[in-house]
Structures are given as structure tokens and as C-alpha cells.
Amino acid sequence: MTHLGQEEIWDVEAATSYDTPGEGMFAPEVLGPTVDRLATLAGGGRALELAIGTGRVAIPLAERGVPVVGIELSAPMVARLREKVDEATLPVHLGDMTTTRADGDFTLVYLVFNTISNLLTQQLQVECFRNAARHLGPGGGFVIELWVPELRRLPPGLPATVGIVEEGYILLDTYDTLRQHVVSHHFRFDASGGREARLGRSPHRYIWPAELDLMAQLAGFELESRDADWVGTPFTADSPSHVSVYRLP
């Protein structure tokens, strides 16, 4: 799948099935702490969300009084967002998060839910940091939510891990450790208990925390904090993900 463009992956079908109101990543216990932390980090200024998607985070953040602008590559995802809020309420620039420029300066740029890993080369990921820096004034912050690569869970000699097994859903990740690529295979089974499943796949380039910090340095950022989640749980060697805050001097 790594040869596909992101606009091919985040198509109308993906946009239509993306929102799960009240459940999964839309659950209040997931979304609430995310919005709380971002509102605090914005510090009364403007916030820019890279890969804004259907507005999962941006809409409730704007409702908290934070002026939010978005950048999004997928026109179908923006169309879904527009069913919820208009352009005046939440402006969105259609384009790539490595190069697209939004007008004005911001106190906060953020990139949530592992989305930087959708960029499939190290160079593109570095350019994402540089684009974030272009939008920030002195002291501005860049927040990234990202999973920690799970290579310790890889069986010896096998290229795959089973990430989630629950009723109606299985997540299987296959790894190319030479290129730091992983393809997530999402198997969803219908509620009737039938034999057939629907498969969705998404390619990623995984990033170690130390590598992410070096990308930040190349763009002029310094690491301010790293927690295991949005509520500030300490990050440890066993944490499956992290929320990292970088800041310009």
C-alpha cells in the first residue's frame, strides 16, 4: 500500500465511515482530555490543526473559544466537516501538511492520533515539522500525539503483530523494518456472525521518540514535555504512545 497517495486512502468511503460519535476516539473520555490540554496550550491564541479530518478535535476546541484553522489533504474529509460547521466558524485550507500555508501566526500547531506517521518518508516528516515552525511565532508550541513502535512484540522471524482483538474487530500490523513501514490491517466483522469480513488498510512510517526529537531540532524546536497521554501520565519504557510538546525558543 505504500505506493498509494494519501488522497487515495482517505477517500469518500473512508470519510463516510470515519466518525464514530460517542465511541472509540470520539468517546468523551478520549476527546475531553485532548481538548482540555490543547485549550491550555493554546494560551488564548490561535491554533492550527494539521490533518484536521472531519473535525473530531477542532470542532470541540473551537467551541471552547479557541480560534482554530485547519489544513487537510482529503476533500471528502473536509466535506464531512462542512456538514457540521461552516467556513466562517472553522476555516480549512485544502492541501498537504508539509507545504500548505495558512494565513497569519499561531500560538499552537497540533497533530493528533498518530497522523504524522501517514507521511511515509523521513524527509516528509521533517518537512512537517518545518511547516509547523513556519506558522508559529517565538515561543509557539507544536504538539504531536504518536504511538511507540511495537517491534518488541514482533515474534522472532515473523513480520506481523496482532494489536487488537475484540468482538467484531481485529487489528493486524505488518512490518517492513528496513524502511520503518507498517501497514495496519483492520478486519471488521458484521454483527450477524457471518464468515465474511470487511478489510481496511492504512500504511504508516513509524518513528521512535528519539528520532522525533531530532526532527524537531532540525526545525528549530526544543522538547518541552513528553507524557504518556493527554492527562499527563508519566511516559515510561512501557508506554504504548506519547503526547510530546515542542516549543520554539
Side-chain angles (χ1 to χ4, degrees):
M1 288 199 70
T2 54
H3 68 283
L4 295 177
Q6 289 297 316
E7 65 276 11
E8 297 176 83
I9 296 169
W10 299 103
D11 57 11
V12 173
E13 182 180 355
T16 301
S17 61
Y18 188 80
D19 289 4
T20 56
E23 298 178 354
M25 60 183 176
F26 286 80
E29 63 270 22
V30 174
L31 194 51
T34 305
V35 173
D36 289 343
R37 182 81 185 278
L38 290 173
T40 299
L41 289 169
R46 301 170 73 222
L48 172 67
E49 180 170 358
L50 303 180
I52 194 171
T54 65
R56 178 182 73 95
V57 174
I59 292 173
L61 184 59
E63 291 172 348
R64 290 280 297 270
V66 178
V68 182
V69 177
I71 290 174
E72 174 57 52
L73 181 66
S74 168
M77 298 289 273
V78 176
R80 290 286 291 177
L81 184 150
R82 284 287 161 256
E83 295 174 6
K84 308 171 191 177
V85 293
D86 59 23
E87 177 73 17
T89 302
L90 210 169
V92 176
H93 299 265
L94 196 62
D96 189 281
M97 61 178 151
T98 65
T99 58
T100 303
R101 184 74 165 89
D103 296 334
D105 290 330
F106 299 82
T107 61
L108 180 70
V109 178
Y110 65 93
L111 188 54
V112 298
F113 205 61
N114 308 320
T115 310
I116 192 171
S117 69
N118 290 349
L119 301 170
L120 299 181
T121 69
Q122 185 184 71
Q123 184 58 43
L124 286 174
Q125 292 167 346
V126 170
E127 289 305 317
C128 180
F129 270 93
R130 288 175 171 154
N131 197 32
R134 285 192 287 269
H135 288 87
L136 294 166
F142 183 29
V143 184
I144 292 182
E145 178 186 23
L146 186 61
W147 99 97
V148 177
E150 298 183 308
L151 270 65
R152 289 189 299 174
R153 298 181 61 236
L154 273 177
L158 297 178
T161 62
V162 178
I164 299 173
V165 178
E166 57 189 30
E167 186 174 358
Y169 176 67
I170 295 174
L171 169 64
L172 178 71
D173 288 330
T174 55
Y175 286 82
D176 175 351
T177 55
L178 183 63
R179 295 188 296 166
Q180 290 186 208
H181 281 172
V182 56
V183 176
S184 294
H185 306 256
H186 306 272
F187 297 91
R188 292 181 171 86
F189 301 86
D190 61 54
S192 66
R195 297 181 180 180
E196 295 185 358
R198 181 165 54 89
L199 171 63
R201 294 186 296 170
S202 57
H204 308 272
R205 181 185 184 272
Y206 60 82
I207 314 169
W208 299 101
E211 183 187 10
L212 197 72
D213 294 347
L214 183 56
M215 292 179 183
Q217 291 179 39
L218 291 172
F221 288 100
E222 299 172 352
L223 178 65
E224 180 176 90
S225 65
R226 171 167 291 135
D227 301 312
D229 52 33
W230 291 99
V231 299
T233 302
F235 180 75
T236 72
D238 296 319
S239 298
S241 61
H242 59 94
V243 175
S244 297
V245 180
Y246 298 97
R247 198 165 294 282
L248 291 178

